[in-house]
Every structure is written in C-alpha cells, then in structure tokens.
Amino acid sequence: MRLIGIPVLLGAALVLSACPPTYPKCSSDDHCQEKGEVCVQGFCRECATDKNCKPGFVCDQARCVPKPECIGDSGCGEGKKCSSGKCVVAEVKKPEGACTADEDCPSGENCKSGRCAKVEAPAKTCSFEPMRFEFNSYALTESQTTVLADYAECIRKGSLRFTIEGHADERGTEEYNMVLSQRRASSVKNYLVSQGVPGGALDTVGYGENKPAVDGHSEQAWSTNRRVEFKKK
C-alpha cells in the first residue's frame, strides 16, 4: 500500500481552511465586500454603524434608513412634537368643557362664552285659556291634558295660585248644572295636582249656568259656555 505523505495532507488542510463562508455568512468584511455589505455578528448586512450608510441615512437594525427629522419632542421646537421621526404641529388640548364653536361640544350642549353648556329649553308660555267641554261631560280630552301639563309646569315654576271656575250651558236644571260645573272644575284641578301642582294652590268653584261667556240659545253659544276658566289669585 502506498502511503500519502505528510506534506500532501498538510496542503489539503490549507486548501480547505482557505474556503470563505457561504453568503450571507461571514467572518470578516472582506466576505461581504462583493455585495457592498459589512460583516455583522457572522452575517453580511447593509451596515454596522452610520458610517456605512450614505449621507442622509442612518444605520437602524443593520439597515440604512433615512435619517429621522427628530427623535424626541425637544428637537422640534415650540408648538411641535416628534411623530414617527417627523416634526408635526402639536395638537393643543383644550381644557375640559372649553369650546370655540357649538361643534366642539357634546350633543345637547352649545358653546357659550367659551364653555360648553346645556341647551336651555325655551320657557313655556301659558295663556291659561278656558277649557271647553262636550255636552253633559266633564271628561278631559287628550289634547286638553297636553295643554294642562304645560299649565302645571308654569304654575309650579311661578308658584302661582288659581281659582278654577266651572261653567255649564243653560240646558238642564239649575241644580244639575251646578253639580256638572263643579265636576268640570274638579277634573281640571285633579289633573293639575297629578302633574305636581300643590293642591293648596288651587281652589274650585262651580257656577252652573249662572255666568255665561256669551248670550244665546244656539249650539255655538252653548259650546262656548261649557267651560272651565282660570282666575289667578
């Protein structure tokens, strides 16, 4: 058997040791030079420091990226802040409740003298017009209860006091009409009390047919005289 000489073995070892690592692995910058890169922790990368990047770029995680305009708010000057590496106008936070227009306020509020305030509902105006009734009836209609609800609010807020006067038309006996007119006055009072008006603020009286609003013997006159009136005390 022919023995290989020691010099031959040493030569083969030197040849093997001279083979460079396979890209992207490296052991020195020379192994990355063909790609225009540098060796970073055993791998070819675009940069290791800012010096490996062209002007206007910096090295960030082994990649050259455009140099940010800022890093912190202190580098942007007054009225600006640093956002994603760029100086932008800082949003000025208004004090809570402050405003310059109605659009700055939440729903149900308006801007008044630089502050958001609840929209005030217009004050109700109450005329306290007479309530008309159907023939031989002291029942309140739905539209009448709606009006009386507004009257109740006006009475409460104004601490008003009334005498509620009931009236009837000329038909029927005087005794019957007296009772009917009183029931009309009481039905109005009872509804106002149900809406929060103190009972002591309201008196009732029935005049029957004795105080007609108009003279006459027609349906038009009768419908006008079937009423309840509010007399402020």
Side-chain angles (χ1 to χ4, degrees):
M1 178 183 297
R2 184 180 177 183
L3 296 176
I4 301 174
I6 291 176
V8 174
L9 291 174
L10 290 175
L14 289 173
V15 171
L16 290 174
S17 65
C19 292
T22 303
Y23 183 85
K25 294 182 179 181
C26 62
S27 58
S28 69
D29 289 348
D30 293 339
H31 299 150
C32 306
Q33 191 172 13
E34 184 179 350
K35 301 286 187 178
E37 296 176 342
V38 293
C39 190
V40 180
Q41 296 181 350
F43 289 90
C44 293
R45 294 290 185 260
E46 195 172 347
C47 61
T49 67
D50 293 348
K51 293 180 179 180
N52 301 131
C53 301
K54 63 183 180 181
F57 285 73
V58 293
C59 188
D60 182 15
Q61 297 182 359
R63 292 182 61 85
C64 290
V65 297
K67 184 177 181 180
E69 185 180 356
C70 58
I71 297 176
D73 292 345
S74 59
C76 292
E78 187 177 356
K80 292 186 176 182
K81 66 178 182 178
C82 189
S83 177
S84 300
K86 293 185 178 181
C87 291
V88 297
V89 177
E91 181 180 355
V92 179
K93 290 187 177 180
K94 297 178 181 177
E96 185 176 356
C99 60
T100 55
D102 291 345
E103 292 74 14
D104 299 331
C105 300
S107 177
E109 296 185 4
N110 282 343
C111 187
K112 188 176 182 180
S113 301
R115 303 289 298 181
C116 291
K118 289 185 177 180
V119 178
E120 295 182 3
K124 293 186 181 296
T125 56
C126 298
S127 59
F128 294 102
E129 293 293 326
M131 292 277 155
R132 308 293 178 185
F133 289 82
E134 294 297 322
F135 174 68
N136 199 33
S137 173
Y138 55 90
L140 296 169
T141 64
E142 184 177 350
S143 61
Q144 286 176 325
T145 57
T146 299
V147 174
L148 285 173
D150 289 343
Y151 285 3
E153 184 176 344
C154 290
I155 294 171
R156 293 196 314 271
K157 289 185 175 180
S159 299
L160 305 178
R161 300 176 64 84
F162 283 93
T163 296
I164 301 174
E165 301 178 349
H167 301 270
D169 64 35
E170 62 181 350
R171 292 173 294 177
T173 65
E174 184 173 350
E175 182 180 359
Y176 180 82
N177 286 337
M178 191 68 70
V179 173
L180 180 59
S181 64
Q182 180 63 52
R183 287 177 175 174
R184 286 171 176 165
S186 295
S187 67
V188 170
K189 175 181 177 177
N190 291 340
Y191 189 81
L192 291 173
V193 170
S194 75
Q195 298 299 302
V197 175
L202 305 171
D203 293 329
T204 61
V205 60
Y207 287 109
E209 61 190 81
N210 297 314
K211 290 188 175 183
V214 296
D215 293 326
H217 308 287
S218 63
E219 179 56 43
Q220 183 177 0
W222 295 332
S223 63
T224 301
N225 291 330
R226 297 190 299 264
R227 70 199 189 280
V228 160
E229 293 184 342
F230 302 84
K231 300 297 183 182
K232 190 180 294 186
K233 296 192 291 184

